[in-house]
Amino acid sequence: MLRGIDLEVAAGEVVCLIGPSGSGKSTLLRCVNHLEKVEAGTVRVGGDLIGYRRHGDALHELRPGHVARQRAGIGMVFQNFNLFPHFTVLQNIVEAPVAVRRLSRADAAERARRLVARVGLAGREDAYPRQLSGGQQQRIAIARALAMEPAVMLFDEPTSALDPELVGEVLGVMRDLAESGMTMVVVTHEMGFAREAADRVVFLDEGRVVESGPPAEVLTAPRHERTRAFLDRVL
Amino acid sequence: MSETAPPDSAPSAADPPNTAPPEPTSAEGVPRDAAVGDAAASGRTESESPLRIVPTRRTGQWVSAAVVLFLIVFAAQSLATNKAIQWDVVASYFTSRSIVRGLYMTLWLTGLTFALGFLLGTVLALCRMSSNFVLRTAALGYIWLFRSTPLLVQLLVWFNIGALYPKLGLGIPWGPTFVQTDVKDLIGATTAAIIGLTVHEAALAAEIVRGGILGVDPGQTQAAQALGLGRFRTLRRIVLPQAMRTILPNAGNQIISLLKSTTLVSVIGVGDVLYSAELIYGRNFLIIPLLLVATLWYVVVASVLSAGQYLLERHYGRGAGSGPRRRNPHERRNLDPRPAQVLRLGARAARHRPGGGGR
C-alpha cells in the first residue's frame, strides 16, 4: 500500500494529505494510530514508537493495552463519524475520558459540555446521534476525540460523507481547531480548506509522497506532472 | 389506470383521473405548511371542488375474514362444550400443589439453563471469532457436536454418564488423586437435566451471539480503539449493547423454545409441570384435563416471556432507527407501538378517515 513514506509533522502544524483514491492517504493516517500495522519502517508520535518497542535491531509488537494507551493520545475523526448510536451525545464524549483517563463522571460531563458548546451544539447533549444531521454528528465526533486532549488530531476525509451544504460547518470547526494551535493531519478532498488552513499540503500517489510544500506552491504551481493532472481533475 | 380500475370505482371516475397527480407534484420541495395550501389551491384550479379519494372495495378480504372467524368460533365452541375436557377438573388442578411445584421446577430450570447457556454461548462465540486457531476450531467443534445431537439423547447420556465414567476424582492428571466420589451420586436427574440443557443451549446461543456481534459495524470497534478503549471495555460497552438488537429477537425465540424443551426432562424423572401432570393422570386417568393444565401453564409462561422480550427490545432499541423529523414518535426507534398506543393511533386514524385525506 505505502512505499517509502518519509513525513514529519511539527507540533502545531496542519498538514493536508491529498491525492487520488487508492493513493494511500487513509492508510497512512491509520498507521499513525496503529489501526493499520506497518510492515516496515516506524511511526513516531511525540518521540514514542507507535505499536512497537525497539530491542536492538528488532521491533517487538506491543501488548493491546499498551497500544490502547498510545492511541488515547491521538485523536481520530472518521469519514462515517462512527458515533456510538446507543449513546447520547454526552455519553459518546464522556465514555473514553472516564474509562481511559479515569476522570470522574461529573468532571468528564463538565468537560464534555464545554466541548459540545465549542463545536456549536450546546443544548443537544441528550440527543442520540441519529437525531442529528451528518454535519452535527461529525462535529460531535470531533468533540469526542478532543475530550481525550490528544496531542495530534487525525481526520480521515471528515466531510466526504456529508451533504454539500453541511460541509461548511465541519470545516469551520476544523479551522478554529487549526487556529488554536492543534497539530492536525487531514486527509481531504476539500482544496479550499487545504489552501486556507493547511501549513503544508502533501500530495500522495501510488503509496509515495510525490510533492509536499505550502498550499500556495503545491495547489497553484505544482512542480510535478501528476500533481497537476490530479488538481486539474478536482479543481 | 382507468382501464384496470375495478367497476366499483366507476362513480369516482366522473372526476377526470388526470387531475389527481398535480397535488403530490406541486407539494414536492416546498415546506410542508406551504405545500398544504399550495396543493389545495391547485386542486381548486383543476376542478370545482377538492378531489375526493374513494378506496377500492375489498370483497376478498371480507370473505376470507368471515371464513376464518367462522372456523375460530366453531373450534372454540366445540372445545368449550366437549365433555371429555372436563373444564371443572382443569380448574381444580390448575393451581394444585404438585402442579405448582412442577411449574416452579420448570421455571427455574428454564431460567438457569438459559442464563448459563447464553453465558457459555457468549464465550464460545468469542472463541469462534478469536484469532487463536485452537480456540476457534475447538469452539467450532463444540457447536457442531452439540448442535447435531438430539437434546433427548444428550439428557439420557448425561443421566447415565456414570456408566461411562463411574468415578470422579480431584487430583493431578496422570498423577495421584486426592478426593474421589461416585458419579452416580453426584449427577442425579436434576443435575443431568441442568448440564444437558445448558450444554445444548450454549451451542445454539453461540451462533446467535456471533450473528449479533458480526452485525455491528466494524467502524464502531475502530472508533472505540482510536479512543484508546480496551478490548474488553469495547466489547462490553460498545459492541455487545449494539449486538443485543439482533440477539434479542432470537434469544426470545430461544427461551420460549427452551421452556418447551424442558418437558423432555420428564423422561429422566425430573419433576417439572408435565411430569407432575403425568404422575396425577397415572393415578386417576384424567389424561386430557391434566395435559391441558400443563399446556395452559406453558402458554401463560411463554406469553409473559414474550412481553418481557418486547420490553427489552424497546430498551436496546435506543438511538436506533431514523431521525426526529417523523411525525409518529414511535417510528423514531423502529419499535412497535405499545398496545395502548395502537388503540390510540387506530382511533386517530378512524377520526381522520371521514375527512378523506387531510394532507
Side-chain angles (χ1 to χ4, degrees):
Chain A
M1 217 30 216
L2 299 176
R3 298 173 244 184
I5 300 265
D6 186 3
L7 184 66
E8 205 159 310
V9 180
E13 198 182 6
V14 176
V15 171
C16 280
L17 303 179
I18 62 170
S21 61
S23 60
K25 301 163 298 193
S26 292
T27 310
L28 176 58
L29 205 64
R30 293 158 62 84
C31 284
V32 176
N33 65 357
H34 206 58
L35 279 182
E36 209 89 53
K37 279 183 193 166
V38 288
E39 285 155 3
T42 56
V43 178
R44 285 174 185 280
V45 175
D48 286 341
L49 207 55
I50 297 297
Y52 298 95
R53 183 187 294 115
R54 188 161 174 184
H55 261 296
D57 54 0
L59 291 176
H60 294 259
E61 252 186 273
L62 292 178
R63 296 176 158 281
H66 199 145
V67 176
R69 251 171 286 143
Q70 291 185 328
R71 283 179 179 143
I74 305 170
M76 183 155 194
V77 175
F78 297 85
Q79 181 177 347
N80 295 317
F81 332 136
N82 288 343
L83 289 178
F84 306 132
H86 58 306
F87 284 171
T88 62
V89 163
L90 205 66
Q91 288 170 327
N92 260 284
I93 303 176
V94 161
E95 180 66 17
V98 168
V100 182
R101 297 269 190 253
R102 303 274 163 226
L103 250 63
S104 77
R105 242 167 220 287
D107 288 350
E110 168 68 33
R111 188 195 283 183
R113 278 176 210 287
R114 276 204 302 274
L115 285 167
V116 173
R118 181 168 164 191
V119 298
L121 286 169
R124 301 310 305 272
E125 286 87 352
D126 295 322
Y128 283 99
R130 283 290 178 95
Q131 296 169 321
L132 303 176
S133 72
Q136 291 172 331
Q137 287 189 50
Q138 193 59 298
R139 281 144 71 192
I140 294 301
I142 294 173
R144 178 174 72 175
L146 288 176
M148 296 299 284
E149 301 188 322
V152 198
M153 283 285 280
L154 311 173
F155 292 84
D156 190 1
E157 305 199 20
T159 57
S160 297
L162 295 176
D163 291 341
E165 78 267 26
L166 301 177
V167 167
E169 58 188 69
V170 172
L171 292 182
V173 168
M174 289 170 62
R175 213 167 280 133
D176 290 346
L177 199 58
E179 272 159 28
S180 76
M182 174 63 76
T183 313
M184 291 163 64
V185 182
V186 185
V187 170
T188 188
H189 293 294
E190 294 293 330
M191 296 305 151
F193 174 80
R195 188 172 320 218
E196 267 180 64
D199 298 311
R200 189 144 55 99
V201 172
V202 176
F203 175 72
L204 276 89
D205 194 18
E206 292 174 358
R208 285 200 181 84
V209 174
V210 173
E211 180 160 3
S212 148
E217 265 174 39
V218 177
L219 295 179
T220 42
R223 272 170 294 151
H224 284 263
E225 188 52 47
R226 264 186 295 175
T227 318
R228 207 169 301 139
F230 171 74
L231 289 173
D232 280 347
R233 263 178 284 129
V234 295
L235 288 180
Chain B
M1 177 71 184
S2 55
E3 286 127 20
T4 56
D8 57 12
S9 71
S12 73
D15 307 324
N18 288 341
T19 50
E23 276 199 34
T25 43
S26 72
E28 256 170 30
V30 186
R32 180 179 286 144
D33 291 355
V36 172
D38 219 50
S42 74
R44 229 169 279 127
T45 54
E46 292 289 331
S47 66
E48 300 303 304
S49 60
L51 295 177
R52 208 159 49 87
I53 293 172
V54 180
T56 52
R57 214 162 281 157
R58 296 183 168 87
T59 324
Q61 288 195 354
W62 284 105
V63 171
S64 54
V67 169
V68 170
L69 271 178
F70 167 76
L71 289 174
I72 290 172
V73 169
F74 182 75
Q77 194 259 347
S78 81
L79 277 177
T81 56
N82 190 328
K83 293 265 173 356
I85 291 179
Q86 306 181 54
W87 286 102
D88 51 326
V89 178
V90 171
S92 69
Y93 276 105
F94 195 64
T95 51
S96 71
R97 261 213 13 238
S98 62
I99 290 288
V100 169
R101 210 181 306 129
L103 176 70
Y104 181 69
M105 170 61 97
T106 294
L107 285 181
W108 82 251
L109 203 57
T110 305
L112 182 71
T113 55
F114 181 76
L116 290 176
F118 261 79
L119 213 62
L120 185 56
T122 306
V123 173
L124 280 169
L126 294 177
C127 288
R128 182 105 157 66
M129 291 185 290
S130 151
S131 51
N132 184 330
F133 174 78
V134 176
L135 287 186
R136 215 165 52 223
T137 314
L140 190 66
Y142 178 100
I143 294 166
W144 163 76
L145 180 66
F146 289 103
R147 224 168 40 156
S148 26
T149 47
L151 179 55
L152 182 57
V153 175
Q154 283 180 36
L155 288 173
L156 290 171
V157 167
W158 285 110
F159 188 52
N160 296 299
I161 194 78
L164 192 60
Y165 294 101
K167 302 268 183 211
L168 184 71
L170 190 67
I172 299 162
W174 296 292
T177 305
F178 306 125
V179 215
Q180 198 173 26
T181 93
D182 274 356
V183 167
K184 216 162 64 260
D185 305 332
L186 203 65
I187 299 186
T190 310
T191 317
I194 292 170
I195 296 175
L197 287 170
T198 301
V199 157
H200 179 80
E201 188 62 20
L204 301 174
E207 289 300 275
I208 293 176
V209 172
R210 190 172 71 97
I213 291 176
L214 287 179
V216 177
D217 175 12
Q220 293 288 310
T221 309
Q222 283 175 19
Q225 284 178 335
L227 284 167
L229 295 181
R231 283 191 299 180
F232 182 70
R233 177 114 186 167
T234 302
L235 184 72
R236 189 171 61 82
R237 294 278 294 169
I238 309 299
V239 176
L240 279 182
Q242 293 183 59
M244 283 308 257
R245 271 186 3 101
T246 35
I247 291 175
L248 273 175
N250 293 317
N253 268 342
Q254 204 52 43
I255 193 169
I256 288 170
S257 154
L258 180 64
L259 169 75
K260 293 176 294 181
S261 300
T262 58
T263 51
L264 289 175
V265 303
S266 63
V267 172
I268 56 174
V270 175
D272 73 330
V273 178
L274 184 62
Y275 189 72
S276 306
E278 282 172 349
L279 280 186
I280 299 172
Y281 75 61
R283 284 196 309 267
N284 60 16
F285 301 106
L286 295 167
I287 299 175
I288 293 293
L290 277 152
L291 283 179
L292 204 59
V293 166
T295 307
L296 285 176
W297 271 120
Y298 286 110
V299 171
V300 167
V301 176
S303 309
V304 171
L305 289 175
S306 300
Q309 174 190 354
Y310 169 81
L311 291 175
L312 272 174
E313 275 178 29
R314 281 184 69 86
H315 173 76
Y316 282 103
R318 276 173 308 167
S322 32
R325 277 165 238 103
R326 298 290 176 83
R327 292 278 289 281
N328 174 0
H330 309 293
E331 279 174 5
R332 184 184 311 161
R333 293 162 160 200
N334 259 351
L335 297 171
D336 310 325
R338 270 179 271 121
Q341 288 161 348
V342 173
L343 294 178
R344 227 176 300 139
L345 288 173
R348 199 182 303 157
R351 269 206 305 285
H352 283 298
R353 208 170 292 138
R359 283 192 290 151

